Amino acid sequence: MVAHKQKVAIIGSGNWGSAIAKIAGFNTARHSDVFEPIVHMYVYEEIVDGRKLTSIINEDHVNTKYLPHAKLPENVVATPSPEEAARDATLLVFVLPHQFILNVCKSLKHALAPDAHAISMIKGVEVADKNISIFPDVIEKALGIPCAALSGANIANEVASGLFSETTVGYRPHQRALAEYYVKLFDTPKFRVGMIEDVAGVSLCGALKNIIAVGAGFVDGLGWGGNAKAAIMRIGLMEMRRFALEFFKDVRPETFTETSAGVADLITTCYGGRNRKCAEAFVKTGKPFNVLEAELLNGQKLQGTETTRDVYEFLQSRGKIEEYPLFKTIYDISFNGLDPKLLTERL
Amino acid sequence: MVAHKQKVAIIGSGNWGSAIAKIAGFNTARHSDVFEPIVHMYVYEEIVDGRKLTSIINEDHVNTKYLPHAKLPENVVATPSPEEAARDATLLVFVLPHQFILNVCKSLKHALAPDAHAISMIKGVEVADKNISIFPDVIEKALGIPCAALSGANIANEVASGLFSETTVGYRPHQRALAEYYVKLFDTPKFRVGMIEDVAGVSLCGALKNIIAVGAGFVDGLGWGGNAKAAIMRIGLMEMRRFALEFFKDVRPETFTETSAGVADLITTCYGGRNRKCAEAFVKTGKPFNVLEAELLNGQKLQGTETTRDVYEFLQSRGKIEEYPLFKTIYDISFNGLDPKLLTERL
């Protein structure tokens, strides 16, 4: 079946990209029957303590900027050029901030092997002109290759430390064979990879949970306790699923209620995570989100409020916003001055 | 349809019983077309600060022992006799520790109205002679009246404080009309009651979640972080559902994944609650559970480990324990000296 070994390229090298590179390097070495041993990783070049980040990674085997406490395997090789990282690659792992995807895809287009395929770990959705897209679709369209999705309850530092986690691969109809490569590339005794035939569901879980985490943070800021927080999470999970089933094809409802990408990641994100934290501070301090982002996140972006706005604008453009009362309320509290105390009034 | 108004009796007056009495008193007064205004409550008589607890409740309208910070409505009337509380009652609410149920039912048998029906808020399961029963079935059998179930993400003190919560009524096939009484009796703007045709599922959620909370507490004690905890909760939810579907009739899988009784209560219990707390201490201190119970719980019982043992013994007797690896591992850590670090080895 397999004509040649899979050549893996990781496009991205932030906190999560580095954690996943650690696992991929471990598994390509372990499964040398399936994979070429070297994992190329595209690293946006920066100078860190007077040295190039690619040099630090290739010489010291640690990403001192984004994942300083984990050793990367020596078969993970950093390069500052996306084309070079992806040269003849058959298996691309996209794990970079979504605003860079289209440009990176342009530079990759002619570097790939003819039978290349991809998996996206990018959170968020793209909204434009009354349309909403998941990033695996954006990548498929840009590169003309199939693209799956991976998402789960995966705080990067915990995964990199070897603590137990699960994750979920969502694959396209009839592409289970490709999904099995992703399981082989990422599954370890401490990082359990499940799979489900549902790219859109897995992607949307990773995006929409951040909206609910903002709502959960409001509950924390209000001091409403554990019952109210669990209620917001439950109602949020149902609204996430309804949204996916209404606007995307081939979505499987159980992706939301049964997988690590769904219910488990929602739990992790609503109890940890920066969206929850900033939303709590929003209620307690009354400061707007852009101020809190600058004060609390040390340069990181707040995905939850961005996705809240994207989804709100999409639903507005379709005349459907009233059917998603929790999404709407979280938007109105975040951006329209609605009193957080009214969080549950429309539910 | 309704020949006469519903006469409500609450059998039990602990922390949760008192919180629910507060709501029931509010709603019987509000819906005087459906309910007799007085709600009788059976209170196990105790002397508190030199006065009878029933007198304190009836004169001061507060249960100083079990719910000291909430005012009870004046139409909630305490009595030390279960028969008297239930005299001519049509709607019984069972909310007392399970070890007292059979004796109390005996004393009620001849007090009830001919068309009486009941709802149980009792957690746990009864295991005897290779059989497992939910308490609504025990009550149905003992009294010969239909019995529904109520369970949800309902920390009693939060409910009593008027903080937002949801809960779930599970009703018997063809008894939606009775379920509507329970919704009417309990639903308020801050306590939202959903209903589902699934008594066993709702009851089992309330019992089995406590096993998973023990597992979640082990994760906390081990310091394994948010990914591992969410994974144990997800795997636990799936094991709970599988157990219910295998051993009970008419279970609806979505009770576990979609309702407040299911996923929401699991979340609340795995982040708050005494089972989680004691299990964390179990890992950190190495003390056995009976010692921790005495040290940490001030006389309360640890339901999680009791249910862990009940379910383990039932599954053993049926030769099915190997099919429930998380339940088995939590039992083995709790009672067989298995190292907590091996929590995920069999999953």
Side-chain angles (χ1 to χ4, degrees):
Chain A
M1 297 283 283
V2 186
H4 55 83
K5 290 186 187 177
Q6 294 286 307
K7 189 165 186 296
V8 177
I10 298 184
I11 309 301
S13 57
N15 188 229
W16 183 219
S18 301
I20 214 73
K22 182 181 169 183
I23 291 175
F26 173 75
N27 273 340
T28 56
R30 194 160 72 117
H31 303 302
S32 57
D33 52 327
V34 178
F35 298 107
E36 297 285 347
I38 301 297
V39 172
H40 290 277
M41 175 165 71
Y42 161 55
V43 176
Y44 179 80
E45 192 69 284
E46 305 178 55
I47 302 300
V48 180
D49 296 331
R51 293 168 68 198
K52 287 181 177 174
L53 185 53
T54 51
S55 306
I56 297 172
I57 292 171
N58 290 334
E59 290 158 18
D60 303 348
H61 307 292
V62 59
N63 184 336
T64 46
K65 176 130 186 196
Y66 296 107
L67 191 69
H69 301 297
K71 196 89 182 161
L72 297 176
E74 301 199 358
N75 57 332
V76 173
V77 174
T79 158
S81 151
E83 302 93 301
E84 199 183 311
R87 179 86 54 218
D88 301 324
T90 53
L91 196 172
L92 283 108
V93 180
F94 281 92
V95 55
L96 75 176
H98 62 81
Q99 59 270 30
F100 305 125
I101 294 172
L102 281 180
N103 269 337
V104 163
C105 281
K106 264 181 215 154
S107 63
L108 294 186
K109 205 163 167 50
H110 302 291
L112 305 177
D115 56 349
H117 52 100
I119 185 164
S120 160
M121 304 186 180
I122 299 161
K123 311 288 185 208
V125 284
E126 191 174 73
V127 170
D129 302 335
K130 294 195 179 190
N131 286 312
I132 188 164
S133 308
I134 53 168
F135 287 108
D137 287 350
V138 172
I139 292 165
E140 281 207 2
K141 211 171 140 190
L143 292 179
I145 64 174
C147 186
L150 180 147
S151 193
N154 299 144
I155 297 166
N157 290 335
E158 294 179 10
V159 172
S161 302
L163 294 167
F164 185 82
S165 295
E166 298 185 306
T167 199
T168 309
V169 165
Y171 60 96
R172 305 274 177 185
H174 316 300
Q175 295 190 338
R176 194 181 164 100
L178 292 182
E180 280 166 2
Y181 284 127
Y182 311 132
V183 173
K184 203 113 196 166
L185 183 59
F186 297 122
D187 188 70
T188 75
K190 295 293 186 191
F191 188 68
R192 307 282 178 90
V193 183
M195 56 177 167
I196 188 163
E197 189 183 294
D198 182 4
V199 175
V202 169
S203 294
L204 289 166
C205 281
L208 302 175
K209 62 152 195 191
N210 286 324
I211 304 178
I212 311 310
V214 172
F218 291 154
V219 174
D220 288 342
L222 291 159
W224 282 1
N227 298 346
K229 188 159 168 176
I232 291 297
M233 291 165 69
R234 188 199 72 79
I235 293 166
L237 186 62
M238 296 296 102
E239 219 162 277
M240 288 164 61
R241 183 177 68 173
R242 191 146 42 82
F243 181 89
L245 290 166
E246 182 164 2
F247 298 109
F248 288 82
K249 272 187 226 135
D250 301 324
V251 168
R252 291 178 60 170
E254 64 268 34
T255 301
F256 291 79
T257 50
E258 299 182 11
T259 74
S260 178
V263 60
D265 191 19
L266 181 70
I267 292 169
T268 305
T269 306
C270 288
Y271 278 89
R274 50 188 191 257
N275 295 295
R276 189 216 65 77
K277 180 182 172 183
C278 285
E280 181 180 19
F282 177 90
V283 173
K284 287 185 167 169
T285 67
K287 294 179 186 174
F289 274 111
N290 55 353
V291 173
L292 292 166
E293 202 172 14
E295 286 182 7
L296 297 176
L297 295 188
N298 195 26
Q300 286 189 296
K301 291 293 286 181
L302 198 56
Q303 289 182 307
T305 47
E306 190 181 327
T307 306
T308 297
R309 191 194 292 273
D310 286 343
V311 167
Y312 178 88
E313 287 174 357
F314 168 73
L315 286 168
Q316 273 286 35
S317 76
R318 296 291 189 100
K320 295 275 193 179
I321 188 66
E322 298 302 330
E323 293 172 31
Y324 293 86
L326 183 58
F327 288 172
K328 179 173 196 292
T329 301
I330 291 170
Y331 177 85
D332 282 341
I333 293 171
S334 300
F335 299 112
N336 273 342
L338 185 71
D339 187 341
K341 288 194 191 72
L342 300 180
L343 179 61
T344 59
E345 291 299 299
R346 296 168 182 157
L347 304 179
Chain B
M1 296 283 284
V2 187
H4 56 80
K5 292 185 186 177
Q6 294 286 307
K7 190 167 187 294
V8 177
I10 298 184
I11 309 300
S13 58
N15 188 229
W16 182 220
S18 301
I20 214 72
K22 183 182 169 184
I23 290 176
F26 173 74
N27 273 339
T28 56
R30 195 160 72 116
H31 302 303
S32 58
D33 53 326
V34 179
F35 298 108
E36 296 285 346
I38 301 297
V39 172
H40 289 277
M41 176 166 70
Y42 161 56
V43 175
Y44 179 81
E45 193 69 282
E46 305 179 56
I47 301 301
V48 180
D49 296 331
R51 294 167 68 197
K52 288 180 176 173
L53 185 54
T54 52
S55 305
I56 297 172
I57 291 171
N58 291 334
E59 290 159 19
D60 304 348
H61 307 291
V62 59
N63 184 336
T64 47
K65 177 133 188 196
Y66 297 105
L67 192 68
H69 301 296
K71 196 87 183 162
L72 297 176
E74 301 200 0
N75 57 333
V76 173
V77 175
T79 158
S81 150
E83 302 92 301
E84 199 183 311
R87 178 86 54 219
D88 301 323
T90 53
L91 196 171
L92 283 109
V93 179
F94 282 91
V95 54
L96 74 175
H98 63 81
Q99 60 270 32
F100 304 126
I101 293 172
L102 280 180
N103 269 338
V104 164
C105 281
K106 264 181 214 154
S107 63
L108 295 185
K109 205 162 164 55
H110 302 291
L112 306 176
D115 55 350
H117 52 101
I119 185 164
S120 160
M121 304 188 180
I122 300 161
K123 309 288 184 208
V125 284
E126 191 174 74
V127 169
D129 302 332
K130 295 195 180 192
N131 285 311
I132 187 163
S133 308
I134 53 168
F135 287 109
D137 287 350
V138 172
I139 293 166
E140 280 207 4
K141 210 170 140 190
L143 292 178
I145 65 174
C147 186
L150 181 146
S151 192
N154 299 145
I155 297 166
N157 289 336
E158 294 181 10
V159 172
S161 303
L163 295 168
F164 185 82
S165 295
E166 298 185 304
T167 200
T168 309
V169 165
Y171 61 95
R172 303 277 177 185
H174 316 301
Q175 294 189 341
R176 193 180 165 99
L178 292 182
E180 281 166 2
Y181 284 129
Y182 310 132
V183 173
K184 203 108 194 169
L185 183 59
F186 296 122
D187 188 69
T188 75
K190 295 291 186 191
F191 189 69
R192 306 284 179 87
V193 183
M195 54 176 168
I196 189 163
E197 190 184 296
D198 182 3
V199 174
V202 169
S203 295
L204 289 165
C205 281
L208 302 175
K209 60 150 195 191
N210 286 324
I211 303 178
I212 312 308
V214 172
F218 291 154
V219 174
D220 288 342
L222 292 159
W224 281 1
N227 299 345
K229 187 159 167 176
I232 291 298
M233 290 164 71
R234 188 199 73 79
I235 294 165
L237 186 62
M238 296 297 101
E239 218 162 277
M240 287 165 60
R241 184 178 67 174
R242 190 145 43 82
F243 181 88
L245 289 167
E246 180 164 3
F247 298 109
F248 289 82
K249 273 189 226 133
D250 301 324
V251 169
R252 291 178 59 169
E254 66 267 35
T255 301
F256 291 79
T257 50
E258 300 182 11
T259 75
S260 178
V263 60
D265 192 19
L266 180 70
I267 292 169
T268 305
T269 306
C270 287
Y271 279 88
R274 50 188 190 258
N275 296 295
R276 189 214 65 78
K277 181 181 171 182
C278 285
E280 182 180 17
F282 176 89
V283 173
K284 288 185 166 169
T285 66
K287 294 179 186 174
F289 273 113
N290 56 352
V291 172
L292 292 166
E293 202 171 13
E295 286 182 6
L296 297 176
L297 296 186
N298 195 25
Q300 286 189 294
K301 292 292 283 180
L302 198 56
Q303 288 181 305
T305 46
E306 190 181 325
T307 306
T308 298
R309 190 193 294 272
D310 287 343
V311 167
Y312 178 89
E313 288 174 356
F314 169 72
L315 286 169
Q316 272 286 36
S317 76
R318 296 292 188 98
K320 296 274 193 179
I321 189 63
E322 299 301 329
E323 294 173 31
Y324 293 86
L326 183 59
F327 289 171
K328 178 172 196 291
T329 302
I330 292 171
Y331 177 85
D332 283 340
I333 294 171
S334 300
F335 299 112
N336 273 344
L338 185 71
D339 186 340
K341 287 193 192 70
L342 301 179
L343 179 60
T344 58
E345 292 299 301
R346 297 167 181 159
L347 303 180

